[in-house]
């Protein structure tokens, strides 16, 4: 299954770190792309640097967009499904079996309150519990549920550095051929 992320909104300066985290979590937990509105273009360099060191250069992309309505409409026109993560939606556990059967999912997270029309544009309004929390936490749990935890063992090709998991301490191996 292919999962892309659409993040709507960004509160200038205040959200810089959260925005970077939305991209990092999308990449690390198995999504192939994040569309973002209103962000500083330096986020592209940050993610390029991460991919150079830790791999997956061709597995993940960031696209800075102006028109999120067009992204949603094009996605649907091409047969993909749209999921809005919202505390007002249906609990993920009550829709996960259905969601796992979809081929392509665009998952939308908000930096704050999202425009009302998105609730109607989305095919699924999904809650990661019905309490308010964070778009990063909601996204991480959504990706983990949809990929059944398998994304945590994903191999990122072309890495310069690879972590050798240790019971204690840190070990990082430099890869000779970036494989
Ligand atoms: N009260 C706000 C609302 O109207 O959704 C919460 C905004 S919250 C700071 C930012 C984003 O986090 C939301 O747009 C939504 O995508 C996500 N979010 C927060 N809590 C969530 C939950 N329980 N389930 C799913 N998504 C959640």
């Amino acid at each position: 299954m292919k999962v892309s992320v659409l993040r709507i909104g960004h509160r200038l300066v205040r959200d810089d770190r959260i925005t970077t985290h939305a991209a990092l979590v999308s990449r690390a937990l198995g999504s192939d792309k994040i569309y973002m509105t209103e962000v500083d273009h330096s986020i592209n360099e940050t993610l390029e640097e991460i991919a150079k060191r830790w791999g997956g250069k061709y597995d993940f992309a960031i696209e800075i967009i102006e028109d999120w309505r067009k992204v949603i409409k094009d996605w649907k026109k091409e047969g993909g499904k749209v999921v809005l993560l919202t505390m007002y939606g249906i609990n993920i556990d009550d829709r996960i079996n259905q969601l796992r059967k979809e081929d392509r999912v665009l998952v939308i997270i908000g930096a704050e309150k999202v425009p009302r029309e998105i609730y109607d544009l989305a095919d699924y309004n999904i809650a990661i519990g019905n309490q308010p929390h964070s778009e990063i936490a909601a996204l991480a749990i959504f990706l983990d549920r949809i990929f059944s935890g398998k994304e945590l063992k994903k191999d990122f090709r072309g890495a310069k550095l690879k972590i050798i998991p240790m019971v204690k301490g840190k070990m990082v191996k430099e890869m000779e051929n970036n494989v």
Side-chain angles (χ1 to χ4, degrees), residues 85-88 109-110 112-113 127-129 131 133-135 138:
L85 291 185
T86 162
M87 63 194 253
Y88 303 103
I109 51 174
E112 44 197 331
K113 224 177 181 172
I128 309 297
Q131 295 294 321
H133 47 85
S134 129
E135 68 260 39

Side-chain angles (χ1 to χ4, degrees), residues 6-8 11 14 84-90 108-114 119 126-139:
L6 168 60
R7 182 170 191 249
I8 292 184
R11 289 165 290 185
R14 182 176 156 186
L84 171 64
L85 291 185
T86 162
M87 63 194 253
Y88 303 103
I90 304 296
I108 303 176
I109 51 174
E112 44 197 331
K113 224 177 181 172
V114 298
Y119 290 78
I126 295 294
I128 309 297
N130 298 109
Q131 295 294 321
H133 47 85
S134 129
E135 68 260 39
I136 310 296
L139 176 63

